[in-house]
């Protein structure tokens, strides 16, 4: 069980000093997974661009940068965070369907590795930005390979009809245009089929299509250097670190020996297992035939159960107290959609007890909000058997209104 990374005594100290709800991350688990990626892909030697959207806390990002990782960013804000955390500009790539002119200029000025453009209009905007700055733009196209990753519909991105990427036919035309442009340098091609993908088969299929397309492009005189297979490798909530060998075989099987530099953009598979949400029981109550545990963490802290029906295991921090019963673990937010877990079996806790919501290191804090005017949670990093530090302070009531104007 993952909780081996979260010693109960330390969790109690963190709760007492940092308050709850708090995100708790294990440095050891985070580093372990970064290194697992390097090991599994050793033969291929790709560039790993950590997807900041999963968890952009500066302390975790700095660890990834120090391990030689690059960064995948999707906004000017994430680019700012990536540069600040120490990722080398030459290892940063920028994805997303709606980059503004300002964001494109910011990326060009920073000298990032390339921009993953997602439409012809974006390529034209990039060309203009490059001309304004008199700095040629390295560009890659996000191609929609029309592959079904068999995941939640909200995080399926590589099927035609989604807003992401361009078709192979359109991509061919755009590359031919870019190759002629004074201000564009086509350097790569990318796909990202979706997130929380549980099998390597869709990667093999999409990678095969991308490789064939890159060969076709070369025959038209456009030679690319990078083949970017996106992120999306899934985790089983509450389980150990996800294995990577099937993914490495699928990607390596297509690209090894091609001379292309492969790029991966993993987010969740690195960050999810290393983080948990620490929350305290406020009350117990019954409603109809249901037992509720009302905790101080809510959908504004961890929205994944509400949006995707994600099932994050909930475990007690102290030893079992009462008899095992079925509970809905809910927060204080005024919506029935505000739950962290439904129908979970737990030894009955008492008010004041701590619970740990597992596999919450990815898309946990990064998707959190101040809904119901709840200050955002603190974030703590466990750095050793008995050591930790605060890596983001809990927001205060003042923070809630800090940006408001009269
Ligand atoms: N690259 C691109 C272009 C992406 O859009 C994403 C995720 C990734 C990489 C990283 O994917 P990962 O390895 O983390 O699966 N909020 C949702 C997940 C949204 C994923 C969006 N794109 C959730 O909580 O499940």
């Amino acid at each position: 069980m993952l909780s081996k990374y979260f010693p109960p005594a330390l969790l109690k100290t963190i709760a007492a000093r940092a308050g709850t709800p708090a995100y708790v991350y294990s440095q050891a688990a985070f580093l372990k997974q970064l290194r697992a990626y390097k090991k599994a892909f050793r033969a291929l030697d790709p560039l790993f661009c950590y997807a900041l959207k999963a968890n952009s806390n500066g302390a975790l990002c700095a660890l990834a940068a120090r391990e030689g990782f690059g960064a995948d960013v999707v906004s000017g804000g994430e680019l700012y965070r990536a540069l600040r955390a120490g990722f080398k500009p030459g290892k940063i790539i920028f994805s997303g369907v709606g980059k503004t002119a300002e964001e494109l200029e910011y990326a060009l000025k920073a000298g990032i590795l390339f921009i993953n453009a997602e439409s012809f209009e974006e390529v034209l905007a990039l060309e203009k930005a490059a001309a304004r700055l008199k700095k040629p733009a390295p560009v890659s196209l996000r191609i929609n390979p029309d592959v079904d990753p068999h995941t939640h519909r909200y995080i399926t991105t590589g099927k035609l009809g989604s807003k992401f990427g361009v078709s192979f036919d359109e991509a061919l035309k755009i590359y031919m245009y870019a190759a002629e442009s004074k201000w564009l340098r086509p350097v790569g091609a990318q796909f990202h089929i979706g997130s929380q993908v549980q099998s390597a088969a869709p990667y093999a299929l999409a990678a095969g299509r991308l490789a064939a397309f890159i060969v076709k492009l070369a025959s038209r005189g456009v030679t690319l250097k990078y083949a970017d297979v996106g992120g999306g490798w899934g985790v089983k909530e509450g389980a150990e670190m996800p294995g990577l060998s099937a993914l490495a075989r699928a990607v390596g099987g297509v690209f090894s020996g091609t001379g292309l530099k492969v790029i991966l953009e993993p987010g969740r598979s690195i960050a999810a297992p290393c983080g948990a949400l620490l929350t305290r029981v406020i009350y117990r109550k019954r409603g109809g035939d249901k037992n509720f545990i009302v905790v101080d963490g809510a959908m504004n802290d961890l929205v994944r159960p509400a949006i995707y029906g994600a099932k994050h295991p909930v475990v007690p921090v102290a030893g079992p107290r009462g008899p095992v019963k079925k509970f809905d673990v809910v927060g204080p937010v005024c919506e029935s959609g505000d739950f962290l877990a439904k129908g979970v079996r737990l030894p009955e806790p008492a008010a004041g007890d701590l619970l740990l919501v597992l596999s919450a290191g990815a898309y946990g804090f990064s998707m959190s909000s101040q809904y119901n005017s709840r200050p955002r949670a603190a974030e703590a990093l466990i750095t050793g058997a008995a050591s930790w530090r605060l890596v983001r302070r809990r927001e205060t009531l003042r923070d809630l209104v800090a940006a408001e104007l009269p």
Side-chain angles (χ1 to χ4, degrees), residues 37 51 53-54 72 74 95-96 118 142 154-155 157 164 190 192 194-197 230-234 265-269 304 308 362-363 367:
Y37 259 101
K53 62 175 81 64
D72 168 48
V74 292
S95 311
E118 303 218 15
R142 175 164 178 181
Y154 287 0
I155 46 178
T157 50
F164 297 100
Q190 186 247 22
H192 170 74
S195 193
Q196 189 58 323
V197 182
W233 193 235
E265 307 168 3
R268 184 195 317 267
S269 50
R304 303 195 67 255
Y308 314 107
Y363 305 108
M367 293 182 81

Side-chain angles (χ1 to χ4, degrees), residues 46-47 107 161 163 186 198 239 248 252 261 270 333 349 352 403:
L47 170 64
K163 70 175 177 179
Q198 301 288 344
K261 180 80 175 171
I270 292 170
V333 164

Side-chain angles (χ1 to χ4, degrees), residues 49 60 98 235 250 264 352 381-382 400:
C49 291
L60 294 180
V235 304
L264 286 100
L381 183 66
I382 295 178
L400 293 176

